[in-house]
Amino acid sequence: MGPQWCNFHNDDGHKTKDCVALKMERLLLETDEISFTTKEQDKVLSLHHDALVISITIANYLVKRIMVDNGSCTNIVFLTAYNNLGLEEDALIRKVTPLVGVRGEVNQTTGEVTLPVYAEGINMSTKFIIVNCKSSYNMILGLPWIHHMGAVPSKLHHMVKFQNL
């Protein structure tokens, strides 16, 4: 080990304190930045104004047509989807609450339930309200799930990325 030894490279040529590669490595490790690339956007077949819809494992079932909505202040499971999952009625907490939609319409909730939602290697208990109305979606994952999971949805790229929790 000479005077120009780098512990990062285990080689002569520069000092560890001057090692550019080590400094870059530290910067990358310290950053919690999440980014979306144009290559990821290229995977979207055409320009769209569609909602962000994903499939995810909930209560050990792969559930399709789940809208990720950062404008929703709650997580919603529609009653038909709840029944189709074959979940026990006794897991449902009967609680009627008014739910006001975007257009001002009011629906009464049927109750609430806590279900395990599995994404990115994390199984998180998530509270949903149950609504008995028609929908194109089975569920809506709103701000409570997005924030708790550290999820970053991108409608433009039609994907969700997650922070390392």
Side-chain angles (χ1 to χ4, degrees), residues 64-77:
K64 297 179 180 180
R65 293 190 345 263
I66 299 173
M67 181 170 69
V68 178
D69 183 6
N70 59 359
S72 178
C73 62
T74 190
N75 303 308
I76 299 171
V77 58

Side-chain angles (χ1 to χ4, degrees), residues 8-9 17 30 42 47-48 67-68 77 100 116 132:
F8 182 72
H9 289 104
K17 70 179 182 83
E30 291 173 3
D42 290 344
L47 291 176
H48 63 88
M67 181 170 69
V68 178
V77 58
V100 181
N132 186 8

Side-chain angles (χ1 to χ4, degrees), residues 28 35 60 88 98 149 155:
L28 288 173
S35 60
N60 295 322
E88 299 293 325
M149 277 295 294
K155 290 182 181 181

Side-chain angles (χ1 to χ4, degrees), residues 63-160:
V63 180
K64 297 179 180 180
R65 293 190 345 263
I66 299 173
M67 181 170 69
V68 178
D69 183 6
N70 59 359
S72 178
C73 62
T74 190
N75 303 308
I76 299 171
V77 58
F78 295 97
L79 186 59
T80 52
Y82 184 82
N83 291 334
N84 287 340
L85 286 173
L87 299 172
E88 299 293 325
E89 284 285 325
D90 59 348
L92 177 65
I93 299 167
R94 299 286 176 187
K95 187 175 181 181
V96 178
T97 309
L99 180 67
V100 181
V102 174
R103 295 184 191 106
E105 72 280 6
V106 177
N107 287 308
Q108 299 296 325
T109 64
T110 304
E112 60 185 47
V113 66
T114 300
L115 300 172
V117 177
Y118 184 79
E120 289 295 304
I122 297 171
N123 202 10
M124 182 178 297
S125 293
T126 304
K127 185 169 97 175
F128 290 87
I129 61 169
I130 299 177
V131 179
N132 186 8
C133 67
K134 291 183 180 183
S135 175
S136 301
Y137 309 105
N138 290 312
M139 298 179 176
I140 296 174
L141 290 171
L143 287 175
W145 179 82
I146 291 169
H147 289 172
H148 205 156
M149 277 295 294
V152 180
S154 171
K155 290 182 181 181
L156 179 64
H157 296 87
H158 217 73
M159 65 174 42
V160 179

